[in-house]
Amino acid sequence: IADDEKGHDLDLFCVPRHYESDLDKVIIPHGLIMDRTERLARDIIQDMGGHHIVALCVLKGGYKFFADLLDYIKVLNHNSDKSVPLTVDFIRVKSYCNDKSTNSVRVMGGDELSNLAGKDIVETGRTMQTLLSLLSECNPKMVKVVSLLVKRTPRSSGYRPDYIGFEVPDAFLVGYALDYNEYFRDLS
Ligand code: IMP
Ligand code: MG
């Protein structure tokens, strides 16, 4: 998504009344998220070969993307000669206060931390790098990171996930489980 992307007028979509005055525009329509996620699922299955995948969801912001990505992977598993055994796990990570990334990253939950992580957005990359160093302590055979969004920002540490849905401008994005102080997750 280009830096000068105009986006779509809010009036073109169904936006909850209680959020109307707080939002600027729709940058990525829900249908586009779904179409891109379908392709990510195909790429992942092709790359993973016969490896067993532990799909690890990074809560809370990653839950929508995680669920939709796994649904597409499930469809591929149901309908192709090549299929991968899949189990799920969930981890909670907190690094944000208001609209600013903070230096401390707190990680909670998760019991079987191995093969694959699904995330909402990478800004500086600090959250993901902290999580990856924690995961490496469990000696997984391989770790692949899928992030729906990666922000183009001068604050980036240079970290890049293995799979990226969209590269986005340096703006604050909400919806599809991404929040501002817990609000706006309930947008498509
Ligand atoms: P990083 O550690 O700077 O990469 O920050 C990543 C985390 O910050 C994400 O998992 C989100 O929780 C939060 N975050 C960063 N940018 C945004 C945004 O534009 N909207 C909502 N949350 C964001
Ligand atoms: Mg958040």
Side-chain angles (χ1 to χ4, degrees), residues 1 22 30 32 46 87 127 151-152 154 170 172 186:
I1 316 282
D22 302 311
H30 185 246
L32 182 56
Q46 260 164 15
T87 57
T127 307
K151 215 181 268 188
R152 275 187 305 274
D170 194 4
F172 199 76
D186 53 334

Side-chain angles (χ1 to χ4, degrees), residues 60-61 93-98 120-121 172 177-182 185:
K60 297 179 185 175
V93 170
K94 209 169 159 67
S95 69
Y96 241 67
C97 189
N98 295 323
D120 58 344
I121 184 166
F172 199 76
L178 271 75
D179 73 307
Y180 173 76
N181 284 347
E182 299 304 325
R185 295 195 199 273

Side-chain angles (χ1 to χ4, degrees), residues 37-76:
T37 303
E38 182 179 19
R39 177 55 193 261
L40 288 173
R42 192 176 91 179
D43 293 346
I44 291 165
I45 288 291
Q46 260 164 15
D47 296 352
M48 289 308 285
H51 289 286
H52 170 229
I53 298 178
V54 178
L56 177 64
C57 175
V58 184
L59 296 169
K60 297 179 185 175
Y63 92 90
K64 281 296 295 171
F65 177 51
F66 182 82
D68 288 334
L69 181 64
L70 258 61
D71 278 350
Y72 281 120
I73 290 179
K74 218 167 59 186
V75 171
L76 291 173

Side-chain angles (χ1 to χ4, degrees), residues 144-169:
K144 296 284 184 192
V145 178
V146 192
S147 187
L148 177 65
L149 308 173
V150 171
K151 215 181 268 188
R152 275 187 305 274
T153 167
R155 296 182 300 286
S156 169
S157 66
Y159 169 77
R160 287 186 63 86
D162 300 284
Y163 301 91
I164 297 171
F166 302 92
E167 290 196 10
V168 293

